[in-house]
Amino acid sequence: MESQRNVSEFILLGLSYDQNMQIFCFVLFLFCYVDLLAGNLLILVSIQCSPLLHQPMYYFLSHLSSMDICYTSSITPKSIADLLVERKTISYGSCMLQVFTMHFFGMIEVLILTVMAFDRYAAICKPLHYLLIMNRTRCHLLVLAAWTGGAVHSFPQFLMVIRLLFCGPNEIDHYFCHIFPLLKIACMDTYIAGVLMVVSSGLVTLVTFAVLFFSYIIILFSLRHHSAEGRHKALSMCRSHITVIALFFGPSIFAYLRPPTTFSEDKIFALFYTIIAPMFNPLIYTLRNTEMKQAMRRTWCQTSGLNIFLTKQGAS
């Protein structure tokens, strides 16, 4: 690999050259990242310590929260730290690792969202067979399939990127190692690599979004035969899931389903699928979900009660 390149690091141009804007972004991104970690960890602990873990929907939600943390953590801490320094650099190895982890965890998240849509379809359209369809073994297999899909998607892209030749410019016009800016500075013909990137990421994202879209049309159509209370409960969770899908897939489709070139809007849209959408996931799935709020209340009230008891025992 060393013989194919003569760059050891890349320079990230970041979001803005304005110092005041960088300070503002530092505060905003740090708040978003802390909020994302706290919210997703709260969901994970609440589900793990409650009977909700045995329900397929919350089992998948716990995995989605884990992927949110892993996906965002592959990019955001470095981006936040870079806002405090004038020269933003990233080593070649770290850049390649960032490309791999972003696509690996991102695809797992996409597939888990798809699995969650299938779970809602089974619960609403096949209620009598739901427990048989979504048994524990099948839930484990679906999560395993999501991880396998993430590997199948990310490894070819990673191999494609490490084969690129970099022999001159090393400035990446982005705040992380995005593939399109990397293709732009490679000193070789990247047309085929760009087309493969659009096919593997853009079309996969579009097809997945289409599957999710039509699955929810079927779900909403079938709700006509449910009672008012059943429709309200089903729509509550469906609205949460649809909101998450719109926040994640909208910017992702713009970022990858287009000619392999760079636009000034890329950085803004990237903020949505790397920071903003994962940050809102915990809020969307908790504020609109009565069961989740009750589980969180029981878990943390019991924890607080246990801490008070242990404190009193220690004092006595």
Side-chain angles (χ1 to χ4, degrees):
M1 191 187 303
E2 189 69 30
S3 63
Q4 294 181 352
R5 59 181 175 85
N6 57 11
V7 297
S8 59
E9 66 177 16
F10 295 102
I11 299 174
L12 299 170
L13 299 184
L15 287 167
S16 173
Y17 294 105
D18 183 76
Q19 187 65 31
N20 293 327
M21 179 59 69
Q22 291 191 49
I23 294 174
F24 171 77
C25 290
F26 171 80
V27 175
L28 177 63
F29 293 173
L30 182 61
F31 169 79
C32 291
Y33 186 59
V34 171
D35 181 70
L36 180 147
L37 290 178
N40 282 296
L41 288 173
L42 180 63
I43 288 178
L44 280 170
V45 174
S46 299
I47 292 176
Q48 292 292 328
C49 298
S50 72
L52 292 180
L53 181 63
H54 303 291
Q55 297 185 32
M57 178 177 68
Y58 296 102
Y59 172 75
F60 296 134
L61 179 58
S62 66
H63 282 278
L64 180 67
S65 295
S66 300
M67 288 305 101
D68 274 342
I69 294 174
C70 295
Y71 174 66
T72 307
S73 296
S74 66
I75 300 169
T76 307
K78 167 67 176 170
S79 302
I80 293 174
D82 282 345
L83 291 167
L84 298 178
V85 297
E86 183 176 352
R87 191 169 184 269
K88 306 166 178 54
T89 62
I90 184 170
S91 67
Y92 179 88
S94 297
C95 182
M96 297 300 105
L97 179 63
Q98 199 174 73
V99 169
F100 172 76
T101 55
M102 178 187 174
H103 285 271
F104 179 62
F105 292 120
M107 180 52 64
I108 294 175
E109 184 164 353
V110 166
L111 295 176
I112 288 180
L113 285 171
T114 307
V115 168
M116 292 176 73
F118 174 71
D119 173 72
R120 291 300 83 205
Y121 167 79
I124 295 171
C125 301
K126 307 286 184 180
L128 298 179
H129 302 91
Y130 175 68
L131 295 178
L132 180 63
I133 296 172
M134 301 303 296
N135 58 65
R136 180 57 59 172
T137 301
R138 183 161 294 167
C139 290
H140 290 321
L141 290 175
L142 287 171
V143 171
L144 178 61
W147 279 79
T148 303
V152 170
H153 169 76
S154 58
F155 272 107
Q157 300 209 28
F158 174 71
L159 294 175
M160 177 185 70
V161 173
I162 64 173
R163 289 171 60 87
L164 295 177
L165 306 179
F166 300 101
C167 54
N170 66 337
E171 291 185 342
I172 299 176
D173 189 14
H174 219 290
Y175 64 92
F176 64 91
C177 282
H178 196 286
I179 288 186
F180 286 164
L182 282 171
L183 294 177
K184 185 177 180 180
I185 63 174
C187 52
M188 59 180 291
D189 184 6
T190 60
Y191 176 78
I192 295 178
V195 171
L196 292 175
M197 180 64 194
V198 171
V199 172
S200 62
S201 291
L203 285 182
V204 167
T205 303
L206 181 62
V207 170
T208 306
F209 178 76
V211 170
L212 291 170
F213 178 77
F214 285 110
S215 68
Y216 273 100
I217 288 180
I218 296 172
I219 290 172
L220 294 175
F221 185 77
S222 68
L223 285 177
R224 298 179 307 159
H225 307 294
H226 288 65
S227 63
E229 182 180 354
R231 282 198 300 269
H232 176 75
K233 184 177 180 180
L235 285 173
S236 177
M237 178 51 68
C238 288
R239 279 196 299 265
S240 300
H241 199 202
I242 291 171
T243 305
V244 170
I245 289 170
L247 283 173
F248 186 84
F249 278 89
S252 298
I253 290 173
F254 172 84
Y256 292 105
L257 193 66
R258 58 176 173 77
T261 184
T262 57
F263 296 104
S264 57
E265 297 85 2
D266 285 350
K267 302 176 188 179
I268 303 300
F269 278 95
L271 291 175
F272 279 90
Y273 60 80
T274 58
I275 298 177
I276 296 176
M279 179 193 71
F280 277 111
N281 284 1
L283 297 175
I284 292 169
Y285 280 113
T286 55
L287 295 180
R288 291 186 173 185
N289 191 317
T290 304
E291 288 182 324
M292 193 70 235
K293 287 189 287 188
Q294 290 175 349
M296 290 165 52
R297 193 178 298 115
R298 285 195 300 267
T299 300
W300 296 104
C301 286
Q302 289 174 1
T303 303
S304 301
L306 179 60
N307 289 335
I308 293 173
F309 174 77
L310 292 175
T311 302
K312 290 181 177 179
Q313 289 295 103
S316 61

mmCIF file of all heavy atoms in Angstrom, residues 293-315:
data_model
loop_
_atom_site.group_PDB
_atom_site.id
_atom_site.type_symbol
_atom_site.label_atom_id
_atom_site.label_comp_id
_atom_site.label_asym_id
_atom_site.label_seq_id
_atom_site.Cartn_x
_atom_site.Cartn_y
_atom_site.Cartn_z
ATOM 1 N N LYS A 293 -41.477 5.328 28.198
ATOM 2 C CA LYS A 293 -41.394 6.284 29.299
ATOM 3 C C LYS A 293 -41.668 5.606 30.633
ATOM 4 O O LYS A 293 -41.020 5.914 31.642
ATOM 5 C CB LYS A 293 -42.387 7.435 29.064
ATOM 6 C CG LYS A 293 -41.966 8.393 27.967
ATOM 7 C CD LYS A 293 -42.849 9.624 27.899
ATOM 8 C CE LYS A 293 -44.216 9.301 27.327
ATOM 9 N NZ LYS A 293 -45.013 10.528 27.081
ATOM 10 N N GLN A 294 -42.624 4.690 30.664
ATOM 11 C CA GLN A 294 -42.905 3.961 31.899
ATOM 12 C C GLN A 294 -41.727 3.080 32.309
ATOM 13 O O GLN A 294 -41.389 3.001 33.496
ATOM 14 C CB GLN A 294 -44.164 3.120 31.720
ATOM 15 C CG GLN A 294 -45.446 3.937 31.615
ATOM 16 C CD GLN A 294 -46.658 3.067 31.328
ATOM 17 O OE1 GLN A 294 -46.531 1.881 31.004
ATOM 18 N NE2 GLN A 294 -47.842 3.660 31.435
ATOM 19 N N ALA A 295 -41.097 2.426 31.326
ATOM 20 C CA ALA A 295 -39.939 1.582 31.625
ATOM 21 C C ALA A 295 -38.782 2.414 32.168
ATOM 22 O O ALA A 295 -38.103 2.015 33.124
ATOM 23 C CB ALA A 295 -39.499 0.835 30.373
ATOM 24 N N MET A 296 -38.559 3.580 31.580
ATOM 25 C CA MET A 296 -37.498 4.457 32.060
ATOM 26 C C MET A 296 -37.792 4.941 33.468
ATOM 27 O O MET A 296 -36.896 4.985 34.329
ATOM 28 C CB MET A 296 -37.340 5.645 31.101
ATOM 29 C CG MET A 296 -36.760 5.278 29.747
ATOM 30 S SD MET A 296 -36.964 6.558 28.485
ATOM 31 C CE MET A 296 -36.312 7.986 29.312
ATOM 32 N N ARG A 297 -39.050 5.275 33.719
ATOM 33 C CA ARG A 297 -39.428 5.761 35.053
ATOM 34 C C ARG A 297 -39.231 4.677 36.098
ATOM 35 O O ARG A 297 -38.677 4.925 37.177
ATOM 36 C CB ARG A 297 -40.882 6.240 35.022
ATOM 37 C CG ARG A 297 -41.293 7.045 36.248
ATOM 38 C CD ARG A 297 -42.731 7.531 36.135
ATOM 39 N NE ARG A 297 -42.878 8.426 34.995
ATOM 40 C CZ ARG A 297 -43.625 8.137 33.927
ATOM 41 N NH1 ARG A 297 -44.250 6.980 33.830
ATOM 42 N NH2 ARG A 297 -43.727 9.006 32.942
ATOM 43 N N ARG A 298 -39.670 3.443 35.787
ATOM 44 C CA ARG A 298 -39.523 2.344 36.743
ATOM 45 C C ARG A 298 -38.054 2.023 36.987
ATOM 46 O O ARG A 298 -37.620 1.831 38.126
ATOM 47 C CB ARG A 298 -40.247 1.095 36.227
ATOM 48 C CG ARG A 298 -41.756 1.147 36.353
ATOM 49 C CD ARG A 298 -42.351 -0.243 36.176
ATOM 50 N NE ARG A 298 -42.023 -0.804 34.868
ATOM 51 C CZ ARG A 298 -42.801 -0.684 33.794
ATOM 52 N NH1 ARG A 298 -43.940 -0.021 33.879
ATOM 53 N NH2 ARG A 298 -42.443 -1.227 32.641
ATOM 54 N N THR A 299 -37.279 1.976 35.910
ATOM 55 C CA THR A 299 -35.855 1.605 36.036
ATOM 56 C C THR A 299 -35.101 2.605 36.886
ATOM 57 O O THR A 299 -34.388 2.242 37.826
ATOM 58 C CB THR A 299 -35.205 1.501 34.651
ATOM 59 O OG1 THR A 299 -35.879 0.494 33.892
ATOM 60 C CG2 THR A 299 -33.731 1.155 34.767
ATOM 61 N N TRP A 300 -35.279 3.881 36.579
ATOM 62 C CA TRP A 300 -34.480 4.888 37.270
ATOM 63 C C TRP A 300 -35.021 5.202 38.657
ATOM 64 O O TRP A 300 -34.251 5.600 39.545
ATOM 65 C CB TRP A 300 -34.375 6.139 36.406
ATOM 66 C CG TRP A 300 -33.628 5.824 35.150
ATOM 67 C CD1 TRP A 300 -34.142 5.649 33.896
ATOM 68 C CD2 TRP A 300 -32.231 5.566 35.032
ATOM 69 N NE1 TRP A 300 -33.162 5.306 32.999
ATOM 70 C CE2 TRP A 300 -31.970 5.252 33.664
ATOM 71 C CE3 TRP A 300 -31.174 5.577 35.931
ATOM 72 C CZ2 TRP A 300 -30.695 4.955 33.204
ATOM 73 C CZ3 TRP A 300 -29.900 5.279 35.461
ATOM 74 C CH2 TRP A 300 -29.672 4.981 34.122
ATOM 75 N N CYS A 301 -36.323 5.032 38.856
ATOM 76 C CA CYS A 301 -36.859 5.201 40.216
ATOM 77 C C CYS A 301 -36.361 4.092 41.129
ATOM 78 O O CYS A 301 -36.002 4.320 42.283
ATOM 79 C CB CYS A 301 -38.389 5.217 40.189
ATOM 80 S SG CYS A 301 -39.086 6.751 39.541
ATOM 81 N N GLN A 302 -36.322 2.857 40.602
ATOM 82 C CA GLN A 302 -35.801 1.743 41.392
ATOM 83 C C GLN A 302 -34.318 1.945 41.688
ATOM 84 O O GLN A 302 -33.852 1.679 42.800
ATOM 85 C CB GLN A 302 -36.003 0.427 40.637
ATOM 86 C CG GLN A 302 -37.453 -0.024 40.563
ATOM 87 C CD GLN A 302 -37.630 -1.260 39.689
ATOM 88 O OE1 GLN A 302 -36.656 -1.784 39.147
ATOM 89 N NE2 GLN A 302 -38.859 -1.707 39.536
ATOM 90 N N THR A 303 -33.558 2.436 40.704
ATOM 91 C CA THR A 303 -32.143 2.685 40.916
ATOM 92 C C THR A 303 -31.920 3.752 41.968
ATOM 93 O O THR A 303 -31.070 3.616 42.851
ATOM 94 C CB THR A 303 -31.479 3.117 39.587
ATOM 95 O OG1 THR A 303 -31.707 2.114 38.605
ATOM 96 C CG2 THR A 303 -29.987 3.325 39.771
ATOM 97 N N SER A 304 -32.732 4.819 41.902
ATOM 98 C CA SER A 304 -32.607 5.888 42.890
ATOM 99 C C SER A 304 -32.969 5.394 44.280
ATOM 100 O O SER A 304 -32.307 5.707 45.266
ATOM 101 C CB SER A 304 -33.509 7.070 42.500
ATOM 102 O OG SER A 304 -33.156 7.570 41.237
ATOM 103 N N GLY A 305 -34.034 4.567 44.339
ATOM 104 C CA GLY A 305 -34.438 4.006 45.630
ATOM 105 C C GLY A 305 -33.371 3.104 46.218
ATOM 106 O O GLY A 305 -33.096 3.132 47.422
ATOM 107 N N LEU A 306 -32.719 2.307 45.349
ATOM 108 C CA LEU A 306 -31.660 1.419 45.822
ATOM 109 C C LEU A 306 -30.463 2.220 46.321
ATOM 110 O O LEU A 306 -29.861 1.892 47.353
ATOM 111 C CB LEU A 306 -31.232 0.495 44.679
ATOM 112 C CG LEU A 306 -30.095 -0.501 44.995
ATOM 113 C CD1 LEU A 306 -30.499 -1.423 46.136
ATOM 114 C CD2 LEU A 306 -29.726 -1.312 43.764
ATOM 115 N N ASN A 307 -30.126 3.303 45.633
ATOM 116 C CA ASN A 307 -29.006 4.132 46.064
ATOM 117 C C ASN A 307 -29.280 4.785 47.413
ATOM 118 O O ASN A 307 -28.391 4.873 48.273
ATOM 119 C CB ASN A 307 -28.711 5.218 45.013
ATOM 120 C CG ASN A 307 -28.092 4.642 43.750
ATOM 121 O OD1 ASN A 307 -27.479 3.588 43.801
ATOM 122 N ND2 ASN A 307 -28.251 5.328 42.631
ATOM 123 N N ILE A 308 -30.513 5.246 47.610
ATOM 124 C CA ILE A 308 -30.875 5.857 48.897
ATOM 125 C C ILE A 308 -30.799 4.822 50.013
ATOM 126 O O ILE A 308 -30.275 5.083 51.106
ATOM 127 C CB ILE A 308 -32.294 6.464 48.800
ATOM 128 C CG1 ILE A 308 -32.302 7.654 47.833
ATOM 129 C CG2 ILE A 308 -32.767 6.914 50.177
ATOM 130 C CD1 ILE A 308 -33.673 8.221 47.545
ATOM 131 N N PHE A 309 -31.284 3.604 49.717
ATOM 132 C CA PHE A 309 -31.235 2.519 50.721
ATOM 133 C C PHE A 309 -29.798 2.184 51.092
ATOM 134 O O PHE A 309 -29.469 2.048 52.271
ATOM 135 C CB PHE A 309 -31.956 1.296 50.172
ATOM 136 C CG PHE A 309 -31.847 0.092 51.057
ATOM 137 C CD1 PHE A 309 -32.606 -0.032 52.226
ATOM 138 C CD2 PHE A 309 -30.968 -0.952 50.729
ATOM 139 C CE1 PHE A 309 -32.489 -1.125 53.044
ATOM 140 C CE2 PHE A 309 -30.856 -2.050 51.541
ATOM 141 C CZ PHE A 309 -31.620 -2.155 52.711
ATOM 142 N N LEU A 310 -28.922 2.059 50.076
ATOM 143 C CA LEU A 310 -27.525 1.722 50.347
ATOM 144 C C LEU A 310 -26.831 2.834 51.110
ATOM 145 O O LEU A 310 -25.976 2.575 51.978
ATOM 146 C CB LEU A 310 -26.779 1.455 49.036
ATOM 147 C CG LEU A 310 -27.221 0.186 48.275
ATOM 148 C CD1 LEU A 310 -26.498 0.080 46.939
ATOM 149 C CD2 LEU A 310 -26.956 -1.069 49.105
ATOM 150 N N THR A 311 -27.199 4.084 50.815
ATOM 151 C CA THR A 311 -26.601 5.217 51.525
ATOM 152 C C THR A 311 -26.989 5.195 53.005
ATOM 153 O O THR A 311 -26.161 5.406 53.901
ATOM 154 C CB THR A 311 -27.054 6.537 50.891
ATOM 155 O OG1 THR A 311 -26.674 6.539 49.512
ATOM 156 C CG2 THR A 311 -26.428 7.726 51.598
ATOM 157 N N LYS A 312 -28.280 4.887 53.261
ATOM 158 C CA LYS A 312 -28.744 4.821 54.644
ATOM 159 C C LYS A 312 -28.081 3.657 55.384
ATOM 160 O O LYS A 312 -27.715 3.774 56.550
ATOM 161 C CB LYS A 312 -30.255 4.671 54.687
ATOM 162 C CG LYS A 312 -31.006 5.933 54.241
ATOM 163 C CD LYS A 312 -32.508 5.717 54.333
ATOM 164 C CE LYS A 312 -33.246 6.993 53.957
ATOM 165 N NZ LYS A 312 -34.734 6.797 54.019
ATOM 166 N N GLN A 313 -27.937 2.511 54.705
ATOM 167 C CA GLN A 313 -27.292 1.368 55.324
ATOM 168 C C GLN A 313 -25.837 1.679 55.656
ATOM 169 O O GLN A 313 -25.321 1.269 56.723
ATOM 170 C CB GLN A 313 -27.356 0.159 54.376
ATOM 171 C CG GLN A 313 -28.747 -0.429 54.219
ATOM 172 C CD GLN A 313 -29.272 -1.029 55.509
ATOM 173 O OE1 GLN A 313 -30.119 -0.415 56.183
ATOM 174 N NE2 GLN A 313 -28.760 -2.187 55.880
ATOM 175 N N GLY A 314 -25.156 2.393 54.747
ATOM 176 C CA GLY A 314 -23.770 2.750 54.995
ATOM 177 C C GLY A 314 -23.627 3.715 56.146
ATOM 178 O O GLY A 314 -22.685 3.639 56.950
ATOM 179 N N ALA A 315 -24.590 4.635 56.246
ATOM 180 C CA ALA A 315 -24.533 5.625 57.323
ATOM 181 C C ALA A 315 -24.801 4.994 58.667
ATOM 182 O O ALA A 315 -24.237 5.386 59.710
ATOM 183 C CB ALA A 315 -25.548 6.732 57.060
#
